[in-house]
Amino acid sequence: SQQGEEDPQALSIQEGENATMNCSYKTSINNLQWYRQNSGRGLVHLILIRSNEREKHSGRLRVTLDTSKKSSSLLITASRAADTASYFCATDASADGLTFGKGTHLIIQP
Amino acid sequence: EAGVAQSPRYKIIEKRQSVAFWCNPISGHATLYWYQQILGQGPKLLIQFQNNGVVDDSQLPKDRFSAERLKGVDSTLKIQPAKLEDSAVYLCASHELVRVDTIYFGEGSWLTVV
């Protein structure tokens, strides 16, 4: 079963704007990770946030985690055409690998 | 550093035929996963290995799917006989034993069952 659920399912914005994606999950977690997947390619790890962290930055990426609401958000600032991809959140709740959501398909229009 | 290698990249087979996918993880990575990703969905874990032992195969359809990692390095995933609903990308991923926060994925093997 898929624990994480991303919202929205699809997002289209203009280049230069900020993109925000949300993820909700159901059970307690050790950490939450965000991945990017370009069309026809494998998954690329973007950022990990641990359950005791509330916010983390990496370049143009900002991730927040609210364990009380079991939710996370991924913000991409100053979007670029190359950011067009699907973005997945994945939760690490046990030693049994990651559980992925269905993803948000992001389109950056030039 | 070489990434996770998978082959073949693309495969088209008829239903009821068999297919095998191969994965070579990053050198030294003790943990290896196979995920199934159906178009429009997120990846779903099929099986997890630690060295040559199975940690979790609870979501592997064992009547038709099998996987092995005999020497604790590369792994094969087999489907026999294939069904139409097996059309998906099969992703292999690996990480160091204690570094579950850094998981590397291969490019995937795309299977179409017709």
Side-chain angles (χ1 to χ4, degrees), chain B residues 73-91:
Chain B
V73 181
D74 54 354
S75 174
T76 56
L77 174 70
K78 296 179 182 177
I79 307 174
Q80 182 180 15
K83 293 185 176 181
L84 296 176
E85 58 260 38
D86 297 332
S87 294
V89 182
Y90 292 87
L91 296 163

Side-chain angles (χ1 to χ4, degrees), chain A residues 20-82:
Chain A
T20 300
M21 288 158 272
N22 302 297
C23 169
S24 59
Y25 58 92
K26 298 174 183 174
T27 65
S28 296
I29 60 172
N30 297 319
N31 64 66
L32 185 145
Q33 304 179 32
W34 285 91
Y35 286 80
R36 183 186 73 230
Q37 186 176 38
N38 291 86
S39 181
R41 307 298 297 273
L43 292 154
V44 175
H45 181 266
L46 294 176
I47 194 167
L48 176 150
I49 186 165
R50 300 188 187 282
S51 59
N52 62 351
E53 298 175 312
R54 292 296 167 258
E55 187 171 313
K56 203 161 183 180
H57 297 256
S58 176
R60 295 185 295 113
L61 305 180
R62 173 178 169 257
V63 169
T64 63
L65 180 64
D66 187 335
T67 53
S68 66
K69 295 181 179 178
K70 291 186 169 59
S71 67
S72 173
S73 68
L74 170 67
L75 168 68
I76 304 174
T77 61
S79 63
R80 304 168 182 169

Side-chain angles (χ1 to χ4, degrees), chain B residues 58-98:
Chain B
S58 58
Q59 298 191 78
L60 187 73
K62 299 181 186 64
D63 58 333
R64 297 182 301 104
F65 285 66
S66 64
E68 60 183 15
R69 195 185 183 199
L70 292 176
K71 296 183 179 179
V73 181
D74 54 354
S75 174
T76 56
L77 174 70
K78 296 179 182 177
I79 307 174
Q80 182 180 15
K83 293 185 176 181
L84 296 176
E85 58 260 38
D86 297 332
S87 294
V89 182
Y90 292 87
L91 296 163
C92 181
S94 70
H95 66 79
E96 293 177 313
L97 187 60
V98 295

Side-chain angles (χ1 to χ4, degrees), chain B residues 6-44:
Chain B
Q6 289 189 246
S7 67
R9 281 279 281 144
Y10 305 96
K11 191 75 175 178
I12 301 175
I13 62 172
E14 295 182 349
K15 59 183 179 183
R16 290 187 290 273
Q17 287 186 325
S18 63
V19 64
F21 302 114
W22 173 82
C23 172
N24 189 18
I26 292 173
S27 178
H29 283 194
T31 304
L32 182 149
Y33 306 90
W34 283 101
Y35 282 85
Q36 179 194 57
Q37 185 178 20
I38 293 172
L39 187 66
Q41 298 185 19
K44 183 187 82 170

Side-chain angles (χ1 to χ4, degrees), chain A residues 1-2 31 33 35 37 39-45 48 50 88 92 94-103, chain B residues 9-10 33 35 37 40-45 48 55-56 59 89 91 100-108 110:
Chain A
S1 63
Q2 293 181 305
N31 64 66
Q33 304 179 32
Y35 286 80
Q37 186 176 38
S39 181
R41 307 298 297 273
L43 292 154
V44 175
H45 181 266
L48 176 150
R50 300 188 187 282
F88 296 89
D92 175 19
S94 66
D96 300 336
L98 297 174
T99 303
F100 286 84
K102 293 184 178 180
Chain B
R9 281 279 281 144
Y10 305 96
Y33 306 90
Y35 282 85
Q37 185 178 20
Q41 298 185 19
K44 183 187 82 170
L45 180 67
Q48 176 188 353
V55 174
D56 179 15
Q59 298 191 78
V89 182
L91 296 163
V100 68
D101 57 343
T102 310
I103 299 177
Y104 297 87
F105 281 81
E107 292 289 299
W110 293 68

